[in-house]
Short mmCIF file of all heavy atoms in Angstrom, two decimals:
data_model
loop_
_atom_site.label_atom_id
_atom_site.label_comp_id
_atom_site.label_asym_id
_atom_site.label_seq_id
_atom_site.Cartn_x
_atom_site.Cartn_y
_atom_site.Cartn_z
N ALA B 167 3.96 -2.23 -8.87
CA ALA B 167 2.81 -1.54 -8.27
C ALA B 167 3.09 -1.11 -6.84
O ALA B 167 2.72 -0.01 -6.42
CB ALA B 167 1.57 -2.44 -8.32
N VAL B 168 3.78 -1.96 -6.08
CA VAL B 168 3.98 -1.62 -4.67
C VAL B 168 4.99 -0.49 -4.53
O VAL B 168 4.85 0.37 -3.64
CB VAL B 168 4.31 -2.87 -3.82
CG1 VAL B 168 5.75 -3.32 -3.99
CG2 VAL B 168 4.05 -2.57 -2.35
N VAL B 169 5.98 -0.43 -5.42
CA VAL B 169 6.89 0.73 -5.40
C VAL B 169 6.09 2.00 -5.69
O VAL B 169 6.23 3.03 -5.00
CB VAL B 169 8.03 0.60 -6.44
CG1 VAL B 169 8.91 1.85 -6.41
CG2 VAL B 169 8.88 -0.63 -6.18
N THR B 170 5.22 1.90 -6.67
CA THR B 170 4.43 3.05 -7.08
C THR B 170 3.58 3.59 -5.93
O THR B 170 3.59 4.79 -5.65
CB THR B 170 3.51 2.66 -8.26
OG1 THR B 170 4.33 2.09 -9.29
CG2 THR B 170 2.76 3.85 -8.80
N VAL B 171 2.85 2.71 -5.26
CA VAL B 171 1.99 3.20 -4.18
C VAL B 171 2.80 3.59 -2.95
O VAL B 171 2.40 4.50 -2.22
CB VAL B 171 0.86 2.20 -3.80
CG1 VAL B 171 -0.13 2.06 -4.95
CG2 VAL B 171 1.38 0.84 -3.38
N MET B 172 3.93 2.95 -2.77
CA MET B 172 4.74 3.35 -1.60
C MET B 172 5.33 4.74 -1.80
O MET B 172 5.40 5.54 -0.85
CB MET B 172 5.84 2.33 -1.31
CG MET B 172 6.38 2.46 0.12
SD MET B 172 7.76 1.35 0.48
CE MET B 172 6.93 -0.23 0.65
N VAL B 173 5.73 5.06 -3.02
CA VAL B 173 6.19 6.42 -3.32
C VAL B 173 5.06 7.42 -3.06
O VAL B 173 5.25 8.46 -2.42
CB VAL B 173 6.68 6.55 -4.78
CG1 VAL B 173 6.86 8.01 -5.18
CG2 VAL B 173 7.99 5.79 -4.97
N ALA B 174 3.87 7.08 -3.52
CA ALA B 174 2.71 7.97 -3.32
C ALA B 174 2.42 8.14 -1.83
O ALA B 174 2.16 9.26 -1.35
CB ALA B 174 1.49 7.42 -4.05
N ALA B 175 2.47 7.03 -1.10
CA ALA B 175 2.18 7.07 0.35
C ALA B 175 3.24 7.89 1.08
O ALA B 175 2.92 8.70 1.95
CB ALA B 175 2.15 5.64 0.90
N ARG B 176 4.50 7.68 0.70
CA ARG B 176 5.61 8.40 1.33
C ARG B 176 5.45 9.91 1.13
O ARG B 176 5.51 10.70 2.07
CB ARG B 176 6.93 7.91 0.71
CG ARG B 176 8.19 8.51 1.28
CD ARG B 176 9.39 8.26 0.36
NE ARG B 176 9.21 8.99 -0.91
CZ ARG B 176 9.99 8.83 -1.99
NH1 ARG B 176 10.97 7.94 -1.98
NH2 ARG B 176 9.76 9.53 -3.08
N ASP B 177 5.20 10.29 -0.11
CA ASP B 177 5.14 11.71 -0.41
C ASP B 177 3.88 12.37 0.17
O ASP B 177 3.91 13.53 0.59
CB ASP B 177 5.25 11.93 -1.92
CG ASP B 177 6.66 11.60 -2.42
OD1 ASP B 177 7.50 11.20 -1.59
OD2 ASP B 177 6.92 11.72 -3.62
N LYS B 178 2.80 11.61 0.20
CA LYS B 178 1.56 12.10 0.82
C LYS B 178 1.78 12.34 2.31
O LYS B 178 1.40 13.38 2.86
CB LYS B 178 0.46 11.07 0.60
CG LYS B 178 -0.89 11.37 1.22
CD LYS B 178 -1.81 10.15 1.00
CE LYS B 178 -3.11 10.26 1.78
NZ LYS B 178 -4.00 11.29 1.22
N TYR B 179 2.42 11.39 2.95
CA TYR B 179 2.70 11.49 4.38
C TYR B 179 3.57 12.71 4.66
O TYR B 179 3.29 13.52 5.56
CB TYR B 179 3.39 10.21 4.86
CG TYR B 179 3.63 10.17 6.35
CD1 TYR B 179 2.68 9.63 7.22
CD2 TYR B 179 4.81 10.65 6.90
CE1 TYR B 179 2.89 9.59 8.58
CE2 TYR B 179 5.04 10.61 8.27
CZ TYR B 179 4.07 10.08 9.11
OH TYR B 179 4.29 10.04 10.47
N LEU B 180 4.63 12.84 3.87
CA LEU B 180 5.54 13.98 4.05
C LEU B 180 4.83 15.30 3.83
O LEU B 180 4.99 16.26 4.59
CB LEU B 180 6.72 13.85 3.07
CG LEU B 180 7.75 12.78 3.42
CD1 LEU B 180 8.69 12.55 2.25
CD2 LEU B 180 8.53 13.21 4.67
N ARG B 181 4.04 15.36 2.78
CA ARG B 181 3.34 16.59 2.43
C ARG B 181 2.36 16.99 3.53
O ARG B 181 2.31 18.13 3.97
CB ARG B 181 2.60 16.37 1.10
CG ARG B 181 2.16 17.60 0.38
CD ARG B 181 1.63 17.25 -1.03
NE ARG B 181 0.62 16.19 -1.02
CZ ARG B 181 0.80 14.98 -1.54
NH1 ARG B 181 1.92 14.65 -2.16
NH2 ARG B 181 -0.17 14.07 -1.48
N GLU B 182 1.60 16.01 3.98
CA GLU B 182 0.52 16.31 4.91
C GLU B 182 1.02 16.57 6.33
O GLU B 182 0.36 17.26 7.10
CB GLU B 182 -0.53 15.19 4.89
CG GLU B 182 -1.25 15.14 3.54
CD GLU B 182 -2.34 14.09 3.46
OE1 GLU B 182 -2.44 13.24 4.38
OE2 GLU B 182 -3.09 14.11 2.48
N THR B 183 2.18 15.99 6.65
CA THR B 183 2.67 16.20 8.02
C THR B 183 3.65 17.38 8.10
O THR B 183 4.19 17.65 9.17
CB THR B 183 3.35 14.92 8.57
OG1 THR B 183 4.41 14.54 7.68
CG2 THR B 183 2.35 13.78 8.70
N THR B 184 3.88 18.05 6.97
CA THR B 184 4.76 19.24 6.99
C THR B 184 4.05 20.41 6.33
O THR B 184 4.69 21.34 5.83
CB THR B 184 6.08 18.97 6.23
OG1 THR B 184 5.75 18.66 4.87
CG2 THR B 184 6.88 17.84 6.84
N ALA B 185 2.73 20.36 6.35
CA ALA B 185 1.95 21.31 5.55
C ALA B 185 2.16 22.77 5.97
O ALA B 185 1.94 23.69 5.18
CB ALA B 185 0.47 20.96 5.62
N GLU B 186 2.62 22.97 7.20
CA GLU B 186 2.74 24.36 7.68
C GLU B 186 4.04 25.03 7.26
O GLU B 186 4.22 26.23 7.48
CB GLU B 186 2.55 24.39 9.21
CG GLU B 186 3.74 23.91 10.02
CD GLU B 186 3.92 22.37 10.03
OE1 GLU B 186 3.11 21.65 9.36
OE2 GLU B 186 4.86 21.90 10.68
N LEU B 187 4.97 24.27 6.66
CA LEU B 187 6.29 24.82 6.31
C LEU B 187 6.37 25.22 4.84
O LEU B 187 5.49 24.90 4.04
CB LEU B 187 7.38 23.79 6.62
CG LEU B 187 7.41 23.30 8.08
CD1 LEU B 187 8.37 22.13 8.23
CD2 LEU B 187 7.82 24.46 9.00
N SER B 188 7.47 25.93 4.48
CA SER B 188 7.65 26.29 3.07
C SER B 188 9.14 26.50 2.78
O SER B 188 9.96 26.59 3.69
CB SER B 188 6.87 27.55 2.73
OG SER B 188 7.38 28.64 3.47
#
Side-chain angles (χ1 to χ4, degrees):
Chain B
V168 77
V169 178
T170 306
V171 293
M172 199 184 285
V173 167
R176 182 195 66 189
D177 290 0
K178 178 186 170 71
Y179 184 90
L180 286 168
R181 197 171 52 247
E182 293 182 350
T183 57
T184 60
E186 76 284 2
L187 303 171
S188 64

